[in-house]
Amino acid sequence: MSSIAVAADIDPLESPELRRRYPHLEQGMNTDFMTASLRRTVFAGGEIHSLEVGRRKAEVGEDSCWLHYELRVHTTAGEVRDTVVLGVLFSDAADASRYEREHLRGLAARARFQGEAPPRATAVLPETSMALSVFPICGALPTLVDATHPGRVSAALRALLPDVSPAVRSVELVELRRSRGCVLRYGTDSPDLPVVYGKVGYAAAGNTLRDGLVELVESVTGAGRNLRFPRALGHSSELDLTVVAELPGQPADLRIAEERRRAVDAGALVAATLHGSGVSVGAPHSLEDELGRAASVVQLVSRDAPVLGERLASILAAAALAAEATPEQALSFAHGSLAPSQLMFDGSHIGVLDLDRLCQAEPAFDIGRFLAPLRVTLAKYGYGDEADALAARFVDAYRVGGGQVTPQARIDVYEIVSLVRMCARSWLQLKASRFRHVLTVLQARATEAGLVW
């Protein structure tokens, strides 16, 4: 108990190991420094009146640290443009120069920018060992420059949907993650598909996602459940782009009591429906696979926070040991990343997003995967004392909805493994506040489950 409590005091930016590996990380996270640096590099020579660096994101990797800056550019002509600049921070300036030369410059020639192109689409800050690029130039996702080009995406959509032949009129960045992929929102000229979403670099693509959703819709049709699933429109291997139709609705606001109960009941219904659907699409995903995913992220943390990494690894080991005492469930069709944020409410209809990780897994996987972020969000909003009651409500609603009888001990294991991975990822993303929320929940759940480390 005390050892993990000590780890809760760790601020990622205060890690001596991380600061030694990336001596200029503090400058990269400094708004004033980066505003001046971007002004004299990427935007040097342009008709820029002022530059505002807003939200910053980060993610520590094995050999570099990825930085994401949301900018508002004010031009001398009175225009205001929002854009994103990506930075890749290295330990050595030579590595930054090499990365910019070998991975970014070639992409710049193919990139199309919103509004006027920046004076320089790529640059290097040698004093901070950082390579810079203006979105959509991204070394981790090289096809992003093509997936954001309206003409190239229109050609891909015409090949995928010859009966509709939509032309892309607008491209909007929804989300970009270094370790996962990018979500784009396309506005088209088609009255049938005015908005579609594109996913670059995501786990499930093409036939797997399409076939799984087709089987799922066929299974659910006529079952009297107001569930909606996105229609997979196809996959372009050339663009590494999976296209899905838009689902209407809004996610639940977990700050509101009624919305919390609504999200829990809906999540239980979705899980029970998926698990009982009989859909056979998707690769098997075992507890060992899930432990391995968590362990790989913990290993990254251990490099710069060895005490924390050791504690998280010991919890994973204890979870694996506890799992041996619980019966393994038969595999069924699973969402793979079920969470309250994946549910969209539109009147009485429930939309289910992001089945990119669809698989065949134990029912306890989806249940634990849902409860982990639910508890963390409740803790963040100050409703952590409701978590146990809402978790019990989920399990009850799942069984009423036709879900399989699932041992609580098996749910606990999957939930704790999800919390370990969330904890490690929060640390790697330098989100000190979220990291503490997750770690506090993890400590409580591990104690309640009787895991000893």
Side-chain angles (χ1 to χ4, degrees):
M1 286 287 292
S2 59
S3 58
I4 199 168
V6 171
D9 293 332
I10 297 175
D11 185 329
L13 287 173
E14 297 301 321
S15 162
E17 290 85 356
L18 185 64
R19 292 165 73 94
R20 277 196 295 269
R21 196 151 65 100
Y22 302 113
H24 305 295
L25 178 57
E26 187 173 352
Q27 291 172 297
M29 297 294 288
N30 184 284
T31 299
D32 292 337
F33 177 85
M34 288 308 302
T35 300
S37 298
L38 294 174
R39 182 72 186 263
R40 66 180 172 78
T41 53
V42 174
F43 296 97
E47 297 181 351
I48 304 300
H49 177 265
S50 64
L51 189 67
E52 300 172 17
V53 176
R55 187 181 181 193
R56 299 159 301 165
K57 302 177 186 177
E59 186 170 352
V60 177
E62 185 174 354
D63 300 312
S64 62
C65 180
W66 182 76
L67 299 166
H68 175 130
Y69 305 99
E70 295 182 0
L71 307 181
R72 177 152 290 180
V73 180
H74 298 262
T75 71
T76 54
E79 297 177 343
V80 178
R81 297 197 301 266
D82 293 328
T83 189
V84 169
V85 171
L86 305 176
V88 184
L89 188 69
F90 294 90
S91 301
D92 184 82
D95 291 332
S97 297
R98 186 180 307 109
Y99 187 85
E100 188 267 347
R101 182 175 63 252
E102 296 179 359
H103 296 278
L104 300 179
R105 286 187 194 176
L107 298 176
R110 306 206 316 261
R112 186 179 188 277
F113 302 94
Q114 297 283 350
E116 183 180 349
R120 295 181 63 185
T122 70
V124 178
L125 294 178
E127 68 274 23
T128 58
S129 304
M130 186 188 303
L132 298 170
S133 62
V134 179
F135 180 85
I137 301 170
C138 177
L141 296 170
T143 64
L144 196 53
V145 293
D146 301 308
T148 53
H149 191 294
R152 293 168 189 150
V153 179
S154 295
L157 291 181
R158 284 193 292 270
L160 295 173
L161 304 165
D163 295 337
V164 181
S165 295
V168 173
R169 299 303 186 207
S170 63
V171 182
E172 176 186 349
L173 173 62
V174 177
E175 185 177 45
L176 175 60
R177 296 181 182 177
R178 172 186 178 273
S179 57
R180 183 168 182 183
C182 182
V183 180
L184 302 166
R185 185 179 188 271
Y186 299 120
T188 82
D189 64 353
S190 169
D192 298 321
L193 291 169
V195 174
V196 297
Y197 284 84
K199 299 188 172 188
V200 180
Y202 266 60
N207 295 337
T208 301
L209 181 59
R210 182 198 63 201
D211 294 348
L213 289 172
V214 167
E215 278 196 37
L216 184 59
V217 170
E218 290 176 352
S219 171
V220 174
T221 299
R225 302 189 175 190
N226 294 330
L227 301 181
R228 291 172 173 168
F229 301 95
R231 181 160 62 100
L233 303 176
H235 176 76
S236 167
S237 56
E238 181 182 3
L239 304 184
D240 189 22
L241 176 69
T242 300
V243 186
V244 297
E246 182 182 37
L247 275 182
Q250 297 291 330
D253 185 346
L254 298 186
R255 293 169 295 185
I256 301 171
E258 182 181 353
E259 292 282 280
R260 294 195 286 275
R261 293 189 292 270
R262 185 185 192 192
V264 164
D265 292 346
L269 177 64
V270 169
T273 302
L274 297 181
H275 301 164
S277 67
V279 174
S280 58
V281 176
H285 185 80
S286 66
L287 176 59
E288 288 70 25
D289 295 327
E290 191 65 4
L291 286 165
R293 283 185 70 212
S296 65
V297 186
V298 169
Q299 187 175 11
L300 286 177
V301 171
S302 297
R303 183 169 182 173
D304 298 308
V307 174
L308 174 62
E310 181 184 354
R311 298 295 174 257
L312 295 179
S314 68
I315 295 175
L316 285 181
L321 186 62
E324 295 178 3
T326 63
E328 184 176 344
Q329 296 177 283
L331 305 187
S332 62
F333 184 67
H335 185 285
S337 58
L338 190 62
S341 60
Q342 311 290 17
L343 306 177
M344 301 290 284
F345 295 93
D346 180 35
S348 62
H349 293 281
I350 304 166
V352 185
L353 301 178
D354 295 345
L355 283 96
D356 307 281
R357 292 192 179 275
L358 60 82
C359 58
Q360 300 290 317
E362 296 182 69
F365 170 46
D366 272 345
I367 299 174
R369 179 64 181 79
F370 184 93
L371 294 180
L374 173 67
R375 288 183 185 273
V376 172
T377 304
L378 292 175
K380 173 184 175 181
Y381 290 148
Y383 300 109
D385 57 344
E386 298 182 21
D388 287 344
L390 287 171
R393 181 186 180 110
F394 182 99
V395 174
D396 289 343
Y398 173 76
R399 290 169 180 161
V400 170
Q404 300 181 33
V405 175
T406 305
Q408 184 62 49
R410 200 72 178 175
I411 296 172
D412 290 343
V413 167
Y414 274 104
E415 182 184 335
I416 288 166
V417 173
S418 291
L419 286 167
V420 168
R421 187 169 180 273
M422 290 173 64
C423 187
R425 287 195 56 78
S426 297
W427 198 95
L428 292 171
Q429 292 168 352
L430 308 183
K431 296 179 177 179
S433 177
R434 178 173 173 80
F435 163 69
R436 288 190 173 89
H437 284 309
V438 181
L439 190 56
T440 299
V441 173
L442 171 60
Q443 178 175 300
R445 290 296 295 126
T447 302
E448 291 166 4
L451 300 187
V452 179
W453 54 90

